[in-house]
Structure formats: structure tokens, C-alpha cells
Amino acid sequence: KIPPDTLFPSNMKVVAISWKPGQHLLNIFRIYSRLFTEIIPFRPDAVFFHMTDVAAALLSPFFNLAKKRTVLWYAHISNSPWLRFAVRFVDEIATSTEGSFPNITTQRHIIGQSIDTKLFHFYPSRNLKLPLRAIHIGRLDPAKRIGELLDWSKHAIDDGFLKSLTLVGQPTSSHLNYGSELQCRFKNYIDDGKIIFEDPISNYLLPQFLSKYDIFLHLFQGSLDKSILEATAVGIPVVSVNNEYLREFGSWNKEDVSFDAQLKSLLDYETEALRLELSRRQRIVSDRHSIDNWIREISKLLVPNIDEDSSR
């Protein structure tokens, strides 16, 4: 969704597909409707698809025939038929990390995520003392292994390791029952204020909200979530079994990357050593995953001679 007061440069047009789950024919109609009513009249030189494999599949053949440059940004391991079709026609593909795109083509550009490091700035003070206040941010879907995280947290709360776990997010429309089932299963802990469900929070409020917590817990295996990068940028220790995160930042335990082993090793860090490690991780976010770098790399793909043009 695009906020109604958002301003864009005169040479840019953002087109929202208004995708509705389960409305396949209507969604296709909406995409082609946007093509004829908004995109073609704008006469673009280049077209950028942001996480829209269906729109890229339906529209890129037309832009290919019209010799309009197309770039698809896709950071998800889901290997849909739409994506496999789209890669045949788009000019360039960009993704966040090596493992954040299906293994269907080697012709892709690894450009990191788009973290606003000016907004998510580093809070250097971090002193871990039990019990910990834990947080998780993301969709409340089975793929994120929320049920497993809650089962683990329940025992950690009982053992005095965690004070609470806060979950920020909502289930997608196809998993609405999942969120309700979780709240029923852990009702006693919710009533005691030890498991807390929060609605999604505006990006502008997230850094201050995040800074109140001691640790970010994460069990999702797949592409690299922005939420754990934002937490890392703020300076919160992230304990994750996500291969892409471990590849980028390393494990708290050099020999054992399991969830429990990482937690144990994290708690063994002395204050200064922990500060230095969190600072190192924050620099990786800034160097590899900043929004400034992301925009620069996307611009190069959309306009390959942009550096030459800007120097004239």
C-alpha cells in the first residue's frame, strides 16, 4: 500500500496492483488494467517489479517486445511457475543474498536488503541479565515457525530464562486461524503478560520500540528477513538459525549453530566483548544492506550507464 501523501519525482510512477488473495482472474484483470490505464500512458523507459512475480510474468513479455528495460527485485525462496516464466523475459534480477532466490538462474545480482540505517541507528548499551525480554517481528504464519518459538519460550519462561516474549505482526489472510489457535494454546501465558501479541508497528516507531528488548529470537529458514537486519542495526543480539543470516554475520557459537547452543554462548559474552560484536554486526548491515546502497545498485540495473550520465 502506498500512503496517499507520498510524493514521487516527476519521472517516476508507482503502480499498486491491489492484489487480493484468492481472486486470481480479478488480479490478472487488475494487472492488465494498470498496464493500459497507467503504465502505457506514462511511457516508461524502464520498469521495476518489486516482489511481484505474477505481474512480472504477465507484463515483462510486452515490455520485452517494446524494448523497455525491466528489472525484478525478488528476495524469497518460493519457486513459483510465475517466477520461472518471468526470468525468461526480464532484463535483470536482483535479490538480497545468495540463498534468497530460487536456484533457477545464476543471472542475478546480490545487492543486500534495504535497511534505513539512519532510522535504525545503533544503541550501544547492552547488558544481558536474566530473565530476558525477548521479541520477534514478522508474519504469524506457520512458515515462520511461530508455534515452535512459542513452545520453546514457554519452557524458557518457566525456567526463569525469559521474562517475556513479544510477537509483533499479524497472520496473512490465508493463515488467519493460525494466529487464533496460537492465542488459544498459550492463553495462560498471555493472561499473565508473559507472551504478548502486538499489531504491526510503523517503521518510524520500531527503533525505539526495539530498544526496549534484550534479544531477538528467530527460527525462520528461508530468505533473509528485514526484521532481523533492523534488530541487528539497532544493536539487539539476534539468535537465529537462518542460514542466510548466519552466512552474513556468523554464529554466536563457532562450532554449533543450533538455537540453544547459540543462546548459551551469547550469555557467556562479557559486556565489552558483546558490545564489540554487536558493533561489528551493525557495520555489516550498514556496509551491505543499507537502503542507500540498495537504491544505488537498483539504479545501475535500471539505467546501466547512470554513472556515465551523472558525470557529464
Side-chain angles (χ1 to χ4, degrees), residues 154-175:
K154 179 181 72 172
H155 296 297
I157 290 168
D158 291 341
D159 293 340
F161 183 84
L162 289 187
K163 181 178 181 179
S164 63
L165 170 66
T166 299
L167 297 164
V168 179
Q170 290 179 334
T172 53
S173 56
S174 56
H175 293 290

Side-chain angles (χ1 to χ4, degrees), residues 10-15 35 38-50 59-60 62-64 66-73 89-92 297-306 309:
S10 59
N11 65 342
M12 175 191 292
K13 184 175 184 63
V14 176
V15 177
L35 173 65
E38 298 186 49
I39 301 174
I40 290 177
F42 187 68
R43 302 176 66 184
D45 295 313
V47 179
F48 175 56
F49 297 99
H50 186 272
L59 300 181
S60 59
F62 293 96
F63 296 128
N64 188 282
K67 300 188 183 306
K68 303 295 184 181
R69 189 167 181 79
T70 51
V71 176
L72 169 64
W73 161 263
F89 294 95
V90 295
D91 292 295
E92 302 287 358
E297 295 303 316
I298 287 293
S299 298
K300 290 178 183 178
L301 296 178
L302 285 167
V303 188
N305 58 345
I306 189 170
D309 290 345

Side-chain angles (χ1 to χ4, degrees), residues 152-297:
W152 182 92
S153 299
K154 179 181 72 172
H155 296 297
I157 290 168
D158 291 341
D159 293 340
F161 183 84
L162 289 187
K163 181 178 181 179
S164 63
L165 170 66
T166 299
L167 297 164
V168 179
Q170 290 179 334
T172 53
S173 56
S174 56
H175 293 290
L176 292 177
N177 291 336
Y178 183 69
S180 301
E181 290 168 4
L182 291 176
Q183 295 196 36
C184 289
R185 276 177 57 193
F186 299 95
K187 183 178 185 303
N188 291 340
Y189 289 83
I190 295 171
D191 291 343
D192 290 341
K194 295 177 179 178
I195 290 178
I196 303 159
F197 286 83
E198 295 274 6
D199 289 335
I201 296 171
S202 166
N203 253 24
Y204 293 101
L205 300 177
L206 256 185
Q208 186 176 3
F209 185 84
L210 275 168
S211 68
K212 298 185 296 184
Y213 294 89
D214 301 309
I215 193 168
F216 193 113
L217 304 180
H218 185 258
L219 288 177
F220 174 62
Q221 273 293 13
S223 55
L224 185 59
D225 283 343
K226 287 186 71 173
S227 61
I228 50 178
L229 293 177
E230 290 166 347
T232 301
V234 170
I236 294 179
V238 172
V239 177
S240 175
V241 296
N242 182 273
N243 288 332
E244 295 307 297
Y245 187 82
L246 294 173
R247 185 178 290 118
E248 291 284 291
F249 299 94
S251 169
W252 295 104
N253 185 307
K254 306 305 179 187
E255 299 176 355
D256 187 348
V257 299
S258 68
F259 194 70
D260 288 331
Q262 287 196 68
L263 273 169
K264 184 179 183 302
S265 295
L266 172 61
L267 292 175
D268 288 339
Y269 272 73
E270 294 185 358
T271 301
E272 181 60 16
L274 177 60
R275 187 190 68 79
L276 290 173
E277 175 60 17
L278 293 174
S279 180
R280 182 190 73 85
R281 294 182 177 216
Q282 185 274 337
R283 288 196 299 273
I284 292 174
V285 176
S286 182
D287 293 342
R288 302 181 192 173
H289 298 281
S290 72
I291 191 169
D292 291 339
N293 180 71
W294 190 89
I295 291 173
R296 182 166 54 250
E297 295 303 316

